[in-house]
Each structure stands twice: as structure tokens, then as C-alpha cells.
Amino acid sequence: MNGSFYQNPTFPGANDDSFNSTNMVTPPGNISYSPFNDGEQSYIENILRLNKGKKVRAYVSYPDSVEWKDKIYDGIIEEAGRDHLILSDPTTGKWFLIRLIYLNYVEFDDRINYSHSYSEKTF
């Protein structure tokens, strides 16, 4: 099926005992490029981290739940990771760990901090 249309990539040392991470070759097209000099990219978790300590409303949907189909969490951004958001609600004292996969959007009461290397923006 492959024929001559597409040749599978081969890497030096891949089929012998000398194969290890020091002699691996990065195939063309897999260039790691980031326009952000500080290593931060414009991902949701990084924007949430820049706004740590701000009061927000997180709109979340749980598609497989009948009871909690759509939920709104009010709270302060405590932490944000690659796959989660931690909010604290000062009125109830509760803390929430929200998986970002369920997050629809976040509504801020204050201006949003959003920065990267070539400009600093506040919306």
C-alpha cells in the first residue's frame, strides 16, 4: 500500500544495539519554535497563571453528567496547571480542582493580564 508515494522515515542506529538518545536525529519539520522568548506560550493555563489571585467565574460543562451538566464556579485563581485549574471560594471556604478539559470559558471581574515577549497586554 505504501508503494513509492511515501517512504517511512528511518533513523541511524534504530535497528541496531547502538541506538540510544544521544544518536537520535530529529526529522525535518519537527522544529520546536516559540515566538515567546520567556518560554511561556499563549495557552490557557499560562494566561490563568498570569492572573493568579484574581476573582473569576469558570463556566464548566460535564457532558456525561445528568446532575452537573453545566456548572459555574466563582472563586479566586489559586493555581493553574497544564490540565487543571484550582479556585478557592472565600465566601464558602471551599476549594475546587477543575480539569481544563471541561472548562468552556472564564469570566474575569478585573482586567486580564496577558503578556508575551514582543508585547505586554492588559485587556
Side-chain angles (χ1 to χ4, degrees):
M1 174 152 179
N2 196 8
S4 62
F5 182 75
Y6 177 76
Q7 181 179 0
N8 290 329
T10 58
F11 303 99
N15 295 326
D16 62 25
D17 293 336
S18 65
F19 181 74
N20 60 42
S21 62
T22 59
N23 63 7
M24 289 180 63
V25 176
T26 302
N30 286 354
I31 298 170
S32 177
Y33 170 74
S34 171
F36 306 105
N37 292 335
D38 59 359
E40 290 290 314
Q41 295 184 355
S42 185
Y43 292 119
I44 296 226
E45 70 266 15
N46 295 329
I47 296 167
L48 292 169
R49 275 190 216 113
L50 285 170
N51 290 279
K52 186 175 172 180
K54 292 194 176 189
K55 188 172 184 319
V56 298
R57 269 172 303 290
Y59 292 82
V60 179
S61 292
Y62 302 101
D64 295 332
S65 175
V66 176
E67 298 172 28
W68 287 40
K69 184 75 171 160
D70 297 305
K71 185 152 175 64
I72 301 170
Y73 294 93
D74 286 312
I76 296 171
I77 298 174
E78 297 292 341
E79 296 291 338
R82 181 161 281 185
D83 66 346
H84 65 277
L85 169 64
I86 298 175
L87 297 179
S88 66
D89 184 348
T91 59
T92 64
K94 290 186 178 184
W95 286 60
F96 303 99
L97 173 62
I98 303 166
R99 293 183 58 194
L100 289 184
I101 193 169
Y102 298 120
L103 183 67
N104 295 323
Y105 66 95
V106 177
E107 194 173 77
F108 290 80
D109 289 340
D110 296 326
R111 301 186 99 177
I112 299 172
N113 292 327
Y114 179 84
S115 70
H116 42 78
S117 64
Y118 55 88
S119 69
E120 176 112 6
K121 296 180 182 179
T122 303
F123 296 96

